[in-house]
Amino acid sequence: MKINDNQSKNKRQYPPFWEKFIPIAIGIIVTIIIILIIIIFAVALGLFPDSVNL
């Protein structure tokens, strides 16, 4: 019995919707993370002016 024969028969196929949606979703998530990291560094470095005076 060969394991490779069983694996080649059970090739996964995804609907066309997922083939397009997943890369777009990953791109959006990565973009949001990068923007958040930039904002965190800007706040940490004090690049935003003090907008609230209590």
Side-chain angles (χ1 to χ4, degrees):
M1 287 198 299
K2 293 182 181 179
I3 296 173
N4 292 336
D5 290 340
N6 291 335
Q7 289 177 351
S8 64
K9 292 178 184 177
N10 296 332
K11 184 178 180 183
R12 294 182 182 183
Q13 294 181 351
Y14 300 102
F17 170 75
W18 289 113
E19 295 289 336
K20 294 179 183 178
F21 176 75
I22 296 300
I24 293 171
I26 291 172
I28 291 171
I29 292 169
V30 168
T31 303
I32 291 171
I33 291 171
I34 291 171
I35 291 170
L36 288 174
I37 290 172
I38 291 170
I39 292 172
I40 290 169
F41 278 114
V43 170
L45 294 173
L47 299 178
F48 290 122
D50 196 19
S51 61
V52 178
N53 294 326
L54 296 176

